Amino acid sequence: MSIVYLNNNYIPMAEAKISPMDRGFLFGDGIYEVVPSYDGQMVGFTPHIDRMNNGLAAVGIELDWSHQQWKDVCDNLIEKNGSGNLALYLHVSRGADNKRFHAYPEDIEPTVFAFAFEIPPAPVADKSKVVGYKVATHRDLRWERCQIKSTALLGNVMHFQHGYQKGANETLLYNEHNELTEASACNAYIVKNGVVITPSADNQILAGITRYILLDLLRKEGSIPVEERPVTMDEVFDADEVWVTSSSKEVVPVIEVDGKPIGNGEIGDVWLAAQTIYSAGKLNY
Ligand code: PDD
């Protein structure tokens, strides 16, 4: 039985109850994080909590928790749920009011919920052990505050569903200028002539922690140039490689976009080098 954390209590998931008046339920009024953990070792814990604090500040939810408090919750969930390969889902909603009114109430306590769920083993840098993604595309129809990791994910859910219904693993999104933004639950990259290129971290994308770690490691290692700049969809279709990243998946090669092969349709050498560098360095974050 999975043990979850809810407002200071560790309880079986089936016993975890929140009010239907919780603003997370009524408005999607909350912030969340997903932190991967392999054999009890979390990847990117500090930047994940930093991003959550930025998100909470951006939406005016006051939760005065230290990194250590979050670390204790994560460590307890890992211990109670049998370490292994887990993602820690951390969720703070503005809390429950006794009425439905859009303005932020001043006198309610945030709801803090966290649980652990199993994820696949950490990907290995080996072309024969990874399955390349086939992805769909869609005009990005979400809001203009995608840098906030809000629990209001219906826009992302609808975009993911678009690809899912077509049998795709993800959906790449593009803006009104035909520029790549990200994917419905991942950041996106192209590789052209050995250069890794990814859209800049602005309000059109969530600045992924995997993205941050990957770009930092690549720049420090130095053999693969990195650019952050607008990427057109023509560049996507013309790329040598396309990748997506997220915390539970690390760096995933994309071999097909809208049914068209990327490059020669095989998993690329730059992916192999990048995932090798990521695997070697990720636990330093
Ligand atoms: N998704 N972009 C979006 C829209 C995301 O939802 C995510 C993560 C990312 C990658 O961020 P990170 O590298 O920090 O995981 C980019 C999470 C995992 C989710 O919603 O399940």
Side-chain angles (χ1 to χ4, degrees):
M1 165 77 75
S2 149
I3 299 294
V4 307
Y5 172 92
L6 179 62
N7 296 332
N8 291 322
N9 295 308
Y10 292 92
I11 48 178
M13 187 180 268
E15 289 172 23
K17 304 272 190 290
I18 60 161
S19 165
M21 296 307 289
D22 195 286
R23 289 177 62 104
F25 183 67
L26 292 178
F27 293 115
D29 184 354
I31 297 292
Y32 78 106
E33 277 299 326
V34 181
V35 187
S37 168
Y38 299 103
D39 292 326
Q41 283 192 286
M42 287 186 274
V43 178
F45 172 79
T46 300
H48 274 286
I49 300 302
D50 289 346
R51 183 175 65 184
M52 182 155 60
N53 287 338
N54 290 340
L56 291 170
V59 302
I61 295 178
E62 284 174 30
L63 182 84
D64 194 15
W65 273 35
S66 65
H67 281 54
Q68 189 57 48
Q69 273 172 287
W70 282 114
K71 176 107 183 359
D72 291 344
V73 169
C74 291
D75 287 342
N76 285 333
L77 286 176
I78 291 168
E79 192 219 303
K80 291 175 194 300
N81 291 283
S83 60
N85 309 312
L86 296 173
L88 285 320
Y89 176 89
L90 315 176
H91 177 133
V92 181
S93 84
R94 197 179 304 278
D97 200 357
N98 54 12
K99 59 184 182 304
R100 182 179 178 277
F101 179 58
H102 287 61
Y104 304 167
E106 278 173 9
D107 49 0
I108 58 172
E109 287 295 310
T111 301
V112 182
F113 172 60
F115 74 106
F117 61 95
E118 212 172 317
I119 54 172
V124 283
D126 180 338
K127 288 188 190 180
S128 70
K129 296 212 170 89
V130 68
V131 180
Y133 269 18
K134 297 179 179 181
V135 304
T137 64
H138 201 284
R139 166 80 193 276
D140 193 338
L141 296 175
R142 301 171 302 162
W143 66 342
E144 293 181 21
R145 293 168 170 170
C146 292
Q147 78 278 16
I148 299 174
K149 198 165 172 65
S150 163
T151 57
L153 283 174
L154 188 55
N156 302 62
V157 165
M158 291 174 76
H159 281 320
F160 187 86
Q161 183 67 15
H162 166 79
Y164 186 76
Q165 275 170 342
K166 293 168 173 259
N169 302 104
E170 246 293 10
T171 305
L172 289 185
L173 305 173
Y174 53 91
N175 65 17
E176 72 270 36
H177 306 298
N178 209 36
E179 292 163 350
L180 178 67
T181 55
E182 56 179 341
S184 68
C186 294
N187 291 118
Y189 311 71
I190 64 166
V191 179
K192 190 69 184 173
N193 299 326
V195 181
V196 176
I197 311 163
T198 193
S200 310
D202 59 17
N203 64 315
Q204 299 181 90
I205 72 164
L206 181 78
I209 303 306
T210 320
R211 177 188 184 281
Y212 158 69
I213 295 174
L214 177 66
L215 298 187
D216 196 50
L217 285 170
L218 291 179
R219 286 182 172 127
K220 283 181 178 147
E221 198 272 344
S223 66
I224 305 172
V226 173
E227 287 178 13
E228 293 174 77
R229 63 156 174 85
V231 175
T232 67
M233 289 307 282
D234 291 342
E235 288 183 285
V236 170
F237 287 104
D238 192 40
D240 301 327
E241 300 182 27
V242 173
W243 313 333
V244 293
T245 64
S246 87
S247 290
S248 57
K249 304 186 180 77
E250 302 192 352
V251 190
V252 184
V254 173
I255 54 170
E256 209 178 278
V257 180
D258 282 345
K260 299 181 190 91
I262 293 301
N264 59 8
E266 307 276 320
I267 292 166
D269 292 335
V270 186
W271 171 82
L272 184 64
Q275 179 64 59
T276 304
I277 292 166
Y278 191 89
S279 300
K282 67 183 181 188
L283 288 177
N284 299 325
Y285 291 83

